[in-house]
Amino acid sequence: MAREIYPAGVWPRWLFTLWNSPKWRRPRVSIGREYSSKNRPRDFLGEGGQFLLPLVFGGWGWQSAISPMTILIVDDYRPNRALVNRIMSHEGILAFEAGDGVEALDVVEREQIDVILSDILMPRMDGYRLCAEWRRREKFRSLPFIFYTSTYTSASDEAFALGLGADKFIRKPALPEEIVLAVRDVVSGPRRVRDTVEPRADLALTSEYTQRLVEKLEEKNEELSHLTKELGEARDRLQAIVRAAPAAILSIDQAGNVTTWNPAAERIFGWSEAEVVGKRPPYVGVEEEEEFDRLRMRVLGGETITGLEVRRLRRDGTRVDIEMSGAPLHDAEDNIVGNIAVFADITERKRAEARRIKSEALLAEAQAVAHIGSWEWDTRTNVVIWSDEMYRMLGLRPQERPVSYPYFLSLVDPGDRDRIDRAVQQALLDHGSHEFEHRITLPNGERRIHHVNAAVILDSEGRPARLHGTARDITEESIAREALRQSEQRFAAFMDNLPGFAWMKDVDGKYVYANKPLEGLPDYQAGWRGKTDAEILPVEIAAEYRANDRKVITSGQPIQTVEPFASGSEARFTLASKFPIFDEKGKVVLVGGTSLDITERVQAEAALRESEERFRQLAENIDQVFWIRKVEPSALEYVSPAYERIWKRSINELRVHPGAWLDPIHPDERGGVRRRAELWTKEGELDETFRIVLPDGSIRWIRDRAFPVRDAQGNLIRIAGIAEDITERKHAGQQVENFAEMLKILTNRLFEMQEEERHHLARELHDEIGQSLTAAKMEIEAAKREEDPGARALRLDDSLAVMQHLLQSVRDLSLGLRPALLDEVGLAAALRAHAQTQAARGGLAARLDVDLTLPRCDPAVEIACFRVAQEALTNVLRHACAKSVEVALRRCGDELRLRVRDDGAGFDVASASARAAAGASFGLVSMRERINLAGGTFVCKSAPGQGAEIEAHFLLAITRTDNGYEKAARNSGG
């Protein structure tokens, strides 16, 4: 067999491809030697390291032994070795690898190496020492040695390396062509003859090498520190990006367990990071297990998967549409240790796609139903695209044939063809939108009419790129329009000859039609079509027209009304009939109307209404009831609204039952009023006073006066009357008497008090209050004698003013006599002390419930409360024969509440009140008056043998404290 030897040659590229091909690695190929080292590739070698490749061609065969160039790549970083290995393999160079100098020396002892390509900075033995060791050995001294480094890159580093015996010095990174060229150059060039390194020279080199190593290690340490910092920052940025990413990002180890799970994954799938990490992905359902494992193995095999759409499981059991991308994860040695996956939730995109498909289907369906076709013309390629409906509108089957703009023009009616072409060219020039109509002849000869809308689409440079639009078959519509035009002509001829005005408006109030008489009015001569009444007429008239139009639109019913209109400067009126005009669905779309000038009739009616309005205003705005009754036949013609206010009964009841006015009269007086009424119905005169009972049972006093209405002959034809409510007048008289009696009681009591007080107090009472009482009494007596109600009211007002002044004087006097303890310690403490003193004096068991934290109140409230309690305790001691007494003073909400209760003999409250009113007793009267003056309420409860209880409620007032004005409730914690 022939054997071809290449001791220092390059392995042909085609031969290396065959060598790497899997079919040449099958057992049927004879193997020379197989290397077991993990860093050595499998090869097939003959004796002396020559490569043996059996080749068989046809029926005869020959064997060739060739020896490829070999290179030893020495680098502690595996990816760098792998990269250079690929470069060398591509060039047909057989490559061996070593991780440092020690491993490299082991390789060269066993393998035939043609050239070494070595890094410098490596563990155990670096490149410098490897090169020195290489040159010491006689066996390898002449073999080429190339440095390939990224650390020792200075000119002195290069000189030192060449001084050690290196043939080439290459700085990383370098282009593949540069590396290959250097390898070929040192292998194919003349071999350098190197002397043995002297010990002394070796020592100098070692010293220089050590110095350089220290320097480089310091640089490396600094660089490593900087890189470590950058790596940490890059890691932090990467983690931030992963956590902030909108897509789910996760990593899975070789066993199929999750190692990374970002927040987006939790949002999409529902499981938290703590629930997932270290476990098999939970989003893989039973039916997806096989697919998941198949995809995972593809990625672990080195494949990158992008844009794969899958469905995965959510925590809540629902499925989510996902777009998945996956890639292998490598460690520092470039080993695949897992995979990383990115999941994007495409649920909304899927839904949008479904909606788009549905929308396109609906659009096609809508075009078919509405007979509207769409089209697009690419002006650059002259390609025209028609929708299916466009084909059908032009008498063709959908997509029957390719179309173009010239073909479209051939279908247009010759009479319209030039016009349409000009319109299209104009649209392309002005870049605008156009619409036009044209006739078209279908392949079957039928002629149709189309309405076209077109718009231009510009490219990025502002030039027309496409023209697109729609076409609608309006043949039947055009025929209908012509028929409508003729109908409108007949309608206009009819409406223009009416004696009055006629018009039509849309629902927005804009005129769509007006006949000639309406057009002739001055306000309409400037134009009316498309305008509203507000744009044509004065504001008031326009507003009235619009209001009536809205009534028609809202109700859907015709109305007839009187409306004003202007004819020059003269205000006139029309009788307008307005009616709705409906569309085919029953919706009001127009308001039509006609009107006739009725100005003279309106003026007469207005005068009558004005007269009636004056009467109505007079009758309806007086407090008395004004009524009119017709004599023959007897009937009630009118009753003013005051009847309902006074009688609290309906006027309609009187109209239906004219005699019902007697029913509310008090039973004691009804018979007499009925008898006297029979007389005034004949004579027409009446002046009657009686009581009526209202529906709620209350009593009112009525004075009813009537007078006759006679005709020109003196015959009685009507009776008119006025009935007025005089209840207040009656009550006022009673109040005068009550005031006089009460004044008498108060006067007597004051006289008693004058005797009990000191002399100067008696003199003050006599000079001021006594005179005021005398004046009031004289005014009241004078009021009793007054016949004139107005004068009587004035005297009563004066009396009331005197009484008010008198009461204020009494109140001021009472405040001046308040106990000193009240000012010193406050109401609560003063009342407690007084109650204890009185109970002890009367030998009573006292139960005191007095809140000593109560705030200071208004002085009037405090003195009133104290005096009431003082009066109540005095009454208990004098009249109750009690064994115990209870006094309570508490705040309840915004009220101050006083309660005095005893277990004594008790009394009848009604009888006691009557005695007090008669002047026999003043205790209850004085307590009630005090409380009323302070703005409070008084309650007295008692019964014979059951003791007595009085309660007084006062509203908490604002009082001054050291910090200014504030609510008492605040100081009490409320």
Side-chain angles (χ1 to χ4, degrees), residues 513-818:
Y513 171 77
N515 68 349
K516 289 192 178 300
L518 185 62
E519 286 181 330
L521 293 177
D523 290 330
Y524 289 82
Q525 290 176 359
W528 52 267
R529 188 177 301 275
K531 295 183 179 180
T532 63
D533 291 315
E535 298 173 280
I536 300 173
L537 303 171
V539 176
E540 296 81 3
I541 296 177
E544 184 173 345
Y545 285 11
R546 185 58 181 158
N548 290 330
D549 292 346
R550 286 199 179 104
K551 290 179 183 178
V552 174
I553 295 170
T554 303
S555 66
Q557 300 292 326
I559 64 170
Q560 190 174 71
T561 183
V562 175
E563 292 181 339
F565 75 98
S567 179
S569 60
E570 181 184 5
R572 302 190 66 79
F573 298 91
T574 65
L575 178 63
S577 296
K578 297 188 174 185
F579 49 89
I581 300 174
F582 303 93
D583 63 8
E584 65 278 3
K585 296 180 180 179
K587 180 180 178 181
V588 177
V589 292
L590 296 172
V591 176
T594 60
S595 60
L596 292 172
D597 190 337
I598 58 167
T599 303
E600 287 71 20
R601 193 180 86 184
V602 168
Q603 291 172 345
E605 291 175 350
L608 178 60
R609 282 196 303 273
E610 184 178 357
S611 175
E612 292 175 346
E613 179 62 18
R614 285 194 296 270
F615 169 77
R616 184 191 65 79
Q617 289 180 358
L618 174 65
E620 293 183 2
N621 288 282
I622 60 175
D623 293 333
Q624 296 83 6
V625 179
F626 181 74
W627 54 269
I628 300 176
R629 177 179 290 275
K630 188 177 181 181
V631 176
E632 291 295 339
S634 180
L636 185 64
E637 288 188 328
Y638 177 78
V639 178
S640 67
Y643 174 82
E644 293 184 344
R645 293 196 300 271
I646 297 175
W647 262 259
K648 307 299 183 186
R649 284 174 168 81
S650 171
I651 294 176
N652 290 332
E653 181 184 4
L654 285 180
R655 293 195 179 102
V656 177
H657 304 290
W661 69 277
L662 288 167
D663 296 341
I665 297 177
H666 195 282
D668 295 344
E669 301 172 4
R670 189 180 302 143
V673 173
R674 180 183 290 109
R675 287 191 300 272
R676 288 187 291 275
E678 294 174 354
L679 297 176
W680 61 259
T681 54
K682 297 178 182 178
E683 300 174 359
E685 295 183 358
L686 172 71
D687 191 345
E688 188 79 27
T689 300
F690 51 86
R691 291 171 295 168
I692 62 173
V693 181
L694 301 185
D696 61 2
S698 59
I699 305 296
R700 306 296 293 178
W701 283 91
I702 302 297
R703 182 185 182 190
D704 196 359
R705 291 170 293 169
F707 49 89
V709 178
R710 303 180 185 278
D711 60 10
Q713 290 75 31
N715 299 319
L716 182 65
I717 56 174
R718 288 182 180 85
I719 299 174
I722 296 177
E724 60 179 323
D725 185 344
I726 61 171
T727 305
E728 281 69 26
R729 195 183 309 163
K730 283 279 188 179
H731 288 173
Q734 184 65 40
Q735 285 178 354
V736 170
E737 296 176 3
N738 292 340
F739 280 147
E741 186 63 26
M742 183 59 69
L743 181 60
K744 181 179 179 181
I745 294 171
L746 290 174
T747 303
N748 291 334
R749 179 59 179 166
L750 286 174
F751 286 152
E752 292 175 4
M753 291 176 64
Q754 286 174 349
E755 295 300 327
E756 296 172 0
E757 297 295 334
R758 292 189 297 269
H759 180 69
H760 73 276
L761 181 60
R763 184 169 58 251
E764 183 177 340
L765 290 172
H766 177 270
D767 293 341
E768 181 176 353
I769 297 178
Q771 292 179 10
S772 297
L773 289 173
T774 303
K777 181 177 180 181
M778 294 176 63
E779 288 293 332
I780 292 171
E781 290 176 350
K784 291 173 62 178
R785 295 191 298 270
E786 281 291 344
E787 292 293 332
D788 183 5
R792 182 188 302 156
L794 289 175
R795 287 189 176 274
L796 286 176
D797 289 341
D798 292 341
S799 300
L800 287 173
V802 171
M803 292 294 289
Q804 288 291 340
H805 177 71
L806 173 62
L807 291 176
Q808 185 62 40
S809 297
V810 172
R811 181 171 178 270
D812 294 340
L813 183 61
S814 297
L815 289 175
L817 296 176
R818 63 189 294 161

Side-chain angles (χ1 to χ4, degrees), residues 395-591:
L396 303 171
R397 293 190 305 275
Q399 312 305 322
E400 175 181 339
R401 55 159 294 164
V403 293
S404 62
Y405 178 63
Y407 176 72
F408 161 74
L409 284 178
S410 68
L411 299 176
V412 176
D413 187 273
D416 296 339
R417 194 171 296 160
D418 291 341
R419 176 175 58 85
I420 296 303
D421 188 44
R422 287 194 302 271
V424 169
Q425 299 307 321
Q426 185 61 41
L428 294 174
L429 286 174
D430 59 24
H431 302 169
S433 299
H434 289 262
E435 59 178 300
F436 42 82
E437 294 180 5
H438 64 82
R439 294 166 293 173
I440 201 158
T441 304
L442 304 184
N444 63 3
E446 182 183 359
R447 303 187 70 182
R448 308 292 293 178
I449 302 174
H450 286 183
H451 179 90
V452 177
N453 291 85
V456 176
I457 299 177
L458 306 178
D459 60 15
S460 59
E461 298 179 358
R463 295 176 300 188
R466 295 187 310 243
L467 192 68
H468 71 154
T470 60
R472 181 165 60 93
D473 190 326
I474 61 169
T475 306
E476 286 73 18
E477 182 180 330
S478 296
I479 295 172
R481 279 205 306 261
E482 178 59 25
L484 177 63
R485 187 185 63 80
Q486 296 178 4
S487 174
E488 288 176 344
Q489 285 181 343
R490 293 190 294 269
F491 171 79
F494 172 78
M495 298 301 288
D496 289 343
N497 289 282
L498 287 176
F501 311 122
W503 67 89
M504 283 189 290
K505 308 174 192 174
D506 62 20
V507 292
D508 295 324
K510 296 178 180 179
Y511 281 93
V512 298
Y513 171 77
N515 68 349
K516 289 192 178 300
L518 185 62
E519 286 181 330
L521 293 177
D523 290 330
Y524 289 82
Q525 290 176 359
W528 52 267
R529 188 177 301 275
K531 295 183 179 180
T532 63
D533 291 315
E535 298 173 280
I536 300 173
L537 303 171
V539 176
E540 296 81 3
I541 296 177
E544 184 173 345
Y545 285 11
R546 185 58 181 158
N548 290 330
D549 292 346
R550 286 199 179 104
K551 290 179 183 178
V552 174
I553 295 170
T554 303
S555 66
Q557 300 292 326
I559 64 170
Q560 190 174 71
T561 183
V562 175
E563 292 181 339
F565 75 98
S567 179
S569 60
E570 181 184 5
R572 302 190 66 79
F573 298 91
T574 65
L575 178 63
S577 296
K578 297 188 174 185
F579 49 89
I581 300 174
F582 303 93
D583 63 8
E584 65 278 3
K585 296 180 180 179
K587 180 180 178 181
V588 177
V589 292
L590 296 172
V591 176

